């Protein structure tokens, strides 16, 4: 795609990367008729939020995310085929021409076991792996509302989370269902009776504090304080730290899906709890949704919306230069003279605003491993034959079926030695369309904060060992199968098909030296955040970030609410349009060359004619009724007159006959 020369070189906005934030902005800017050019150095949508098949996932991690030559033979691309074991040992060919495009991956492969060499695993293309782990959405959250409002939801399908589990600290190596209703709270056995009453009291407060003045004042007093201080002062979950620890783990790590309870503000916890409680019962018993086919479907949906409204897309193409162009000779309007020039392929493109992510920042050849100020996520992917969790053990998913289903489990912090954050275990099966029937995709992940006490390298080794222990504990290497012909014979089969461990660095948007060197254009270059460990990042962070960047680009910051440019406004429904002229002026009339002004004037004339006809019909009906009354009276008069005429005529006739007889007599 680098050889492609675009017919236009000047755009309102150039976006590099197809992450979720970038894709939302692309759709929003295209909706308000901005000229948008959307580039991505990869050949798939999603950037850090990509969903790869097993082949693409293996290649991405092995070659640090560098794009490979797409024209390779399909057999050479397949590292899972037993006959092509040495093909991918060669270095990939970078498809970008010199000068080289800006790109740096923040992923690093730690360990990968070669289970893919087994010839039975020819279904590798049917496995879909989220590069940054799974992301969930609240059923009644801001993102789902945006899908409905903007019409993007028509491109997406979702599945409810079947069960949310938490590690039982009393009974080791067991997980318990997180209760989501009052009935489940009182049925569960891993919460004591006192804790049940406290939990119900706290949930009632969360549901009523916005409407109750006393509770609202209490919330406002502590909303910017730490959540621990709020619990300590109110004592809703207990009077001591030991009493409230169990329920606090359930609320923070399971319900709110926050991996660490340190430095969490009260308003953040209450916001998530409100979304959680409002989401229950909308699409099922769960409060969370997962997009079928993986998280990259969100990026593709917004990119499709942008393309419908004129956005231009070029994949396998990045940028290799950013500079400022001043057009004072052409236009003297202050800041409007400044343009950003971007080198892409063999062309030089200009734009008013540039949106990039941390992968495509200029001069980004930084050694991330030596940066002590970055958080890291250690993540392990396991594909196996048998599930860890069976949904029917916790709640009924389908009658008379034994399925693994979509399940998220939480191990709170400090359950293992050197465990600063919670460990999350997600299990997906064929119902989420990310694995073939009978196979299961398991993800383990844990974040290492940069400010954790101790050496980062030692903590990294401890976390890797911790995840390996979890895999060994919950996923057996073999499982037994009963022979159907001889029911008593059991054979052992290999359970784990594929396993790898890799890490991800979380970079800061504005910590790069590039921004300090380019102060004059910092308001025109917008950087999107990295993917983080937060499962609710899409709802809680990325959407807010997209709205903030959108307001800066269109100038909404200094406008009143009525004057602001709408962010992804509701698409008019042609079946329920209030204005008939918008319904009639469609693509067909455009092709026929009908002018909209003429069409609307014709519609106005037609409407006036219809109104006149209706008025005439009403007046005719009234006149007709009056005429009917008049005709009835006229008919009566007419009958009387006719009678008189008949009598007169009879008398006249009789007199005439007598005269004739007299005349005849006289003549005789």
């Amino acid at each position: 795609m680098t050889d492609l020369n675009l017919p236009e070189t000047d755009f309102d906005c150039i976006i590099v990367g197809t992450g979720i934030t970038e894709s939302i902005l692309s759709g929003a800017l295209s909706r308000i008729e901005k000229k948008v050019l959307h580039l991505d150095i990869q050949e798939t949508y999603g950037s850090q939020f990509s969903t790869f098949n097993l082949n693409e996932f293996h290649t991405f991690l092995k070659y640090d995310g560098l794009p490979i030559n797409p024209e390779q033979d399909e057999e050479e691309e397949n590292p899972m085929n037993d006959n092509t074991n040495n093909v991918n040992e060669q270095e990939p060919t970078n498809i970008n021409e010199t000068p080289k495009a800006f790109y740096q991956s923040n992923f690093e492969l730690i360990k990968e076991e070669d289970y893919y060499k087994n010839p039975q695993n020819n279904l590798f293309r049917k496995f879909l792996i989220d590069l940054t782990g799974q992301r969930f959405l609240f059923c009644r959250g801001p993102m789902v509302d945006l899908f409905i409002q903007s019409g993007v939801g028509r491109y997406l399908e979702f599945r409810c989370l079947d069960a949310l589990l938490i590690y039982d600290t009393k009974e080791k190596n067991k997980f318990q269902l997180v209760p989501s209703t009052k009935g489940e709270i009182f049925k569960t056995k891993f919460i004591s009776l006192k804790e049940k009453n406290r939990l119900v009291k706290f949930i009632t407060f969360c549901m009523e504090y916005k409407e109750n003045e006393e509770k609202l004042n209490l919330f406002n007093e502590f909303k910017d304080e730490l959540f621990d201080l709020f619990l300590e002062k109110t004592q809703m979950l207990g009077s001591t730290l030991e009493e409230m620890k169990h329920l606090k783990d359930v609320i923070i790590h399971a319900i709110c899906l926050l991996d660490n309870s340190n430095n969490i503000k009260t308003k953040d916890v209450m916001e998530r709890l409100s979304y959680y409680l409002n989401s229950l019962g909308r699409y099922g018993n769960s409060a969370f949704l997962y997009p079928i086919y993986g998280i990259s479907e969100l990026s593709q949906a917004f990119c499709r919306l942008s393309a419908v409204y004129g956005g231009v897309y070029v994949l396998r193409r990045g940028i290799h230069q950013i500079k400022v162009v001043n057009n004072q000779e052409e236009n003297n309007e202050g800041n409007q003279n400044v343009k950003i020039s971007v080198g892409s392929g063999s062309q030089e493109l200009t734009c008013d605003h540039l949106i990039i992510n941390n992968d495509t920042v200029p001069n980004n050849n930084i050694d991330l491993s030596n940066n002590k100020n970055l958080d890291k996520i250690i993540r392990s992917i396991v594909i196996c034959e048998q599930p860890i969790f069976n949904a029917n053990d916790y709640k009924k998913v389908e009658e008379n079926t034994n399925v693994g289903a979509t399940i998220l489990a939480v191990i709170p912090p400090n359950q293992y030695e050197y465990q600063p954050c919670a460990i999350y275990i997600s299990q997906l099966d064929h119902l989420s369309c990310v694995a073939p029937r009978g196979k299961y995709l398991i993800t383990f992940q844990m974040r290492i904060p940069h400010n954790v006490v101790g050496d980062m390298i030692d903590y990294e080794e401890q976390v890797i060992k911790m995840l390996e222990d979890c895999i060994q504990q919950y996923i057996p290497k073999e499982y037994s199968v009963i022979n159907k012909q001889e029911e008593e014979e059991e054979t052992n089969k290999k359970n784990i098909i594929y396993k790898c461990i890799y890490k991800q660095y979380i970079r800061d948007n504005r910590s790069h030296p590039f921004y300090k060197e380019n102060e004059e254009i910092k308001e025109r270059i917008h950087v999107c955040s990295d993917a983080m460990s937060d499962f609710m990042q899409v709802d809680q962070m990325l959407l807010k970030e997209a709205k903030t960047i959108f307001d800066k680009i269109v100038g909404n910051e200094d406008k009143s609410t009525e004057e602001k440019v709408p962010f992804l406004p509701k698409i008019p429904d042609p079946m329920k349009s209030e204005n008939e002229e918008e319904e009639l002026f469609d693509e067909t009339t455009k092709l026929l060359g009908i002018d909209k002004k003429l069409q609307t004037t014709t519609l106005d004339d037609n409407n006036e004619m219809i109104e006149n006809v209706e008025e005439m019909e009403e007046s005719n009906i009234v006149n007709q009724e009056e005429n009917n009354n008049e005709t009835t009276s006229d008919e009566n008069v007419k009958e009387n007159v006719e009678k008189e005429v008949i009598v007169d005529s009879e008398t006249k006739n009789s007199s005439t006959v007598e005269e004739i007889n007299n005349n005849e007599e006289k003549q005789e």
Side-chain angles (χ1 to χ4, degrees):
M1 282 296 192
T2 53
D3 297 333
L4 175 65
N5 287 328
L6 300 173
E8 295 186 20
T9 58
D10 184 52
F11 296 88
D12 294 323
C13 185
I14 295 178
I15 304 175
V16 185
T18 54
I20 294 178
T21 305
E22 302 94 290
S23 301
I24 293 174
L25 285 167
S26 179
L29 293 171
S30 296
R31 282 280 281 118
I32 59 173
E33 299 182 355
K34 295 286 186 181
K35 291 175 62 179
V36 176
L37 173 64
H38 206 160
L39 307 174
D40 198 327
I41 194 171
Q42 301 291 345
E43 59 181 7
T44 57
Y45 290 91
S47 292
Q48 290 190 18
F49 295 93
S50 295
T51 302
F52 295 132
N53 62 41
L54 196 52
N55 179 25
E56 295 168 339
F57 179 75
H58 165 84
T59 305
F60 182 91
L61 292 179
K62 189 171 183 179
Y63 299 116
D64 297 327
L66 291 175
I68 62 173
N69 189 346
E71 296 180 356
Q72 287 181 342
D73 186 42
E74 183 178 355
E75 294 181 358
E76 295 180 351
E77 285 184 350
N78 185 0
M80 313 300 169
N81 195 324
D82 196 30
N83 298 326
T84 57
N85 292 334
N86 299 323
V87 171
N88 277 337
E89 296 300 325
Q90 60 185 1
E91 292 294 327
T93 304
N94 193 339
I95 65 171
N96 292 288
E97 297 178 354
T98 55
K100 188 177 179 181
F102 300 137
Y103 183 76
Q104 183 184 29
S105 174
N106 59 330
F107 295 89
E108 183 179 330
L109 180 63
I110 297 175
K111 185 187 295 185
E112 184 178 35
E113 297 187 12
D114 296 340
Y115 287 100
Y116 55 77
K117 291 183 179 179
N118 193 331
Q120 70 173 349
N121 301 317
N122 293 325
L123 301 174
F124 67 93
R125 289 188 181 276
K126 294 187 178 181
F127 292 105
L128 297 176
I129 302 173
D130 293 324
L131 181 63
T132 55
Q134 284 72 39
R135 293 291 186 273
F136 297 98
L137 304 175
F138 286 115
C139 294
R140 201 182 294 274
M143 203 67 184
V144 172
D145 292 340
L146 183 65
F147 292 151
I148 298 171
Q149 170 188 310
S150 63
V152 174
R154 71 186 69 176
Y155 306 132
L156 297 167
E157 293 181 85
F158 295 90
R159 175 171 173 76
C160 276
L161 189 67
D162 292 312
L164 180 62
L165 311 178
I166 189 168
Y167 184 78
D168 192 347
T169 56
K170 298 177 182 178
E171 297 185 20
K172 298 296 183 181
N173 303 328
K174 285 190 177 182
F175 289 86
Q176 301 291 342
L177 178 69
V178 176
S180 57
T181 62
K182 282 187 178 181
E184 291 181 355
I185 289 175
F186 287 103
K187 284 181 182 179
T188 185
K189 296 181 180 179
F190 87 107
I191 298 177
S192 65
L193 184 59
K194 287 184 178 180
E195 289 175 335
K196 292 176 181 179
N197 293 327
R198 291 168 183 166
L199 183 59
V200 171
K201 181 180 177 182
F202 180 75
I203 290 175
T204 304
F205 175 85
C206 296
M207 296 175 67
E208 298 177 352
Y209 79 93
K210 292 183 180 179
E211 300 176 356
N212 187 298
E213 184 177 357
E214 182 181 353
K215 295 179 180 179
L216 182 61
N217 293 333
L218 180 62
F219 167 74
N220 291 330
E221 183 181 353
F222 293 98
K223 68 177 182 179
D224 294 322
E225 302 293 338
L226 296 179
F227 185 61
D228 291 339
L229 180 61
F230 172 76
L231 294 179
E232 182 182 348
K233 294 295 183 181
T234 58
Q235 296 186 358
M236 288 187 184
L237 300 182
S239 57
T240 63
L241 293 176
E242 293 183 0
E243 287 182 356
M244 66 177 70
K245 185 181 182 306
H246 191 202
L247 290 180
K248 182 182 168 185
D249 288 341
V250 174
I251 292 171
I252 292 179
H253 304 304
I255 295 177
C256 296
L257 296 182
L258 294 168
D259 61 359
N260 195 309
S261 59
N262 298 332
N263 302 322
I264 297 177
K265 293 184 178 180
T266 303
K267 62 181 180 181
D268 298 331
V269 177
M270 298 300 288
E271 182 184 14
R272 294 203 180 198
L273 279 170
S274 298
Y275 282 130
Y276 177 85
L277 296 172
N278 291 330
S279 298
L280 289 172
R282 186 176 191 183
Y283 300 117
N285 292 329
S286 175
F288 302 106
L289 295 174
Y290 176 74
I292 290 180
Y293 303 109
I295 194 65
S296 67
E297 291 294 306
L298 303 185
S299 295
Q300 294 185 52
F302 283 104
C303 289
R304 187 176 299 177
L305 176 69
S306 176
V308 168
Y309 285 91
V312 180
Y313 280 81
V314 185
L315 299 181
R316 301 197 298 273
R317 182 168 178 172
I319 59 174
H320 56 77
Q321 184 183 34
I322 300 176
K323 62 182 181 179
V324 181
V325 177
N326 200 337
N327 296 329
Q328 289 182 355
E329 297 180 357
E330 300 178 3
N331 192 358
N332 295 319
E333 296 181 359
N335 294 331
Q336 295 297 326
N337 300 326
V338 178
K339 284 270 189 179
I340 299 175
S341 176
V342 174
S344 178
S346 59
Q347 286 185 293
E348 186 172 337
L349 311 172
T350 58
C351 62
D352 295 326
H353 291 271
L354 176 65
I355 300 174
I356 57 178
N357 55 34
N358 288 313
D359 291 344
T360 55
V361 173
N363 304 320
N364 54 2
N365 296 322
I366 301 174
D367 188 4
L368 299 176
S369 60
N370 293 328
N371 193 333
K372 303 294 183 180
N373 297 320
L374 300 180
D375 290 1
K376 291 188 288 187
I377 303 172
I378 308 299
R379 191 176 287 112
S380 177
I381 304 294
V382 181
I383 297 175
C384 54
E385 300 277 357
Q386 296 294 313
I388 299 179
F389 310 107
N390 192 316
N392 288 330
D393 295 338
Y394 303 98
K395 56 171 62 178
K396 290 185 178 181
V397 180
E398 295 179 6
E399 295 182 358
N400 301 323
T401 56
N402 188 16
V403 294
T406 304
I407 294 177
L408 180 65
V410 186
I411 302 178
N414 302 320
Q415 302 303 317
Y416 291 89
E417 189 178 5
Y418 304 109
Q419 185 194 351
C421 296
I423 298 174
Y424 286 94
I425 307 171
S426 61
Q427 173 181 287
L428 302 176
D429 63 353
H430 71 281
L431 297 175
S432 301
C433 299
V434 297
R437 184 181 292 272
K439 306 291 189 296
Y440 301 90
L441 180 65
I442 316 293
T443 304
F444 298 79
Q445 77 171 39
M446 194 186 102
R447 179 173 64 94
I448 305 175
H450 68 278
N451 56 357
V452 68
V453 179
D455 191 353
M456 289 286 288
I457 298 177
D458 293 339
Y459 259 92
E460 182 178 321
E461 292 178 357
Q462 290 294 331
V463 171
I464 293 172
K465 183 177 182 300
M466 202 181 303
L467 294 184
E468 289 181 335
D469 290 343
C470 287
I471 294 172
Q472 185 176 0
Q473 183 175 359
Y474 298 113
I475 305 179
K477 291 185 177 180
E478 296 181 346
Y479 68 100
S480 59
V481 179
I482 299 177
N483 193 338
K484 294 181 179 180
Q485 295 180 354
E486 301 177 4
E487 296 183 357
E488 296 181 357
E489 283 193 14
E490 292 187 1
T491 57
N492 293 330
K493 289 190 175 183
K494 185 179 291 184
N495 185 26
I496 298 177
I497 300 172
Y498 174 81
K499 181 174 73 173
C500 80
I501 299 177
Y502 63 100
K503 62 182 174 182
Q504 173 195 348
Y505 296 94
I506 303 175
R507 300 162 293 190
D508 186 9
N509 290 24
R510 291 287 178 176
S511 63
H512 199 281
F514 167 76
Y515 307 111
K516 299 177 182 179
E517 299 170 359
N518 297 273
E519 291 290 334
E520 69 276 10
I521 57 173
K522 66 179 182 179
E523 297 300 325
R524 293 177 174 269
I525 295 182
H526 313 276
V527 187
C528 301
S529 301
D530 277 354
M532 299 184 178
S533 60
D534 188 1
F535 282 90
M536 309 307 298
Q537 184 185 7
V538 178
D539 256 333
Q540 297 296 305
M541 180 179 175
L542 298 185
L543 183 55
K544 294 178 182 178
E545 183 181 48
K547 288 182 178 179
T548 302
I549 296 174
F550 178 83
D551 290 339
K552 288 181 179 179
I553 292 176
V554 301
N556 278 346
E557 295 174 327
D558 301 328
K559 295 180 181 179
S560 62
T561 305
E562 297 177 354
E563 296 175 347
K564 285 185 177 181
V565 180
F567 178 79
L568 283 172
K570 185 175 182 180
I571 297 177
D573 189 351
M575 303 301 295
K576 299 180 181 179
S577 178
E578 295 180 359
N579 300 321
E580 293 184 359
E581 65 267 19
E582 294 297 330
E583 184 176 355
L584 293 175
F585 187 75
D586 53 9
E587 296 296 329
T588 306
T589 56
K590 288 181 182 179
L591 293 174
L592 294 174
I594 299 174
D595 189 3
K596 186 175 182 179
K597 294 181 179 179
L598 296 176
Q599 189 182 14
T600 53
T601 54
T602 306
L603 286 169
D604 293 336
D605 295 339
N606 290 337
N607 291 332
E608 291 179 1
M609 291 175 63
I610 291 170
E611 291 176 358
N612 293 332
V613 169
E614 290 177 352
E615 291 177 357
M616 292 174 63
E617 288 179 352
E618 291 178 357
S619 61
N620 289 335
I621 291 171
V622 173
N623 293 332
Q624 187 175 358
E625 291 178 353
E626 294 177 353
N627 292 333
N628 289 335
N629 295 330
E630 292 177 357
T631 51
T632 53
S633 60
D634 291 343
E635 287 177 355
N636 295 330
V637 172
K638 187 176 180 181
E639 288 179 357
N640 296 330
V641 170
E642 287 179 350
K643 288 179 181 178
E644 293 177 356
V645 170
I646 292 171
V647 171
D648 293 340
S649 62
E650 289 178 351
T651 53
K652 287 180 180 179
N653 290 333
S654 60
S655 61
T656 306
V657 170
E658 290 177 355
E659 289 177 356
I660 292 170
N661 293 328
N662 293 329
N663 292 329
E664 289 179 353
E665 289 177 355
K666 288 179 180 180
Q667 288 178 0
E668 291 177 353

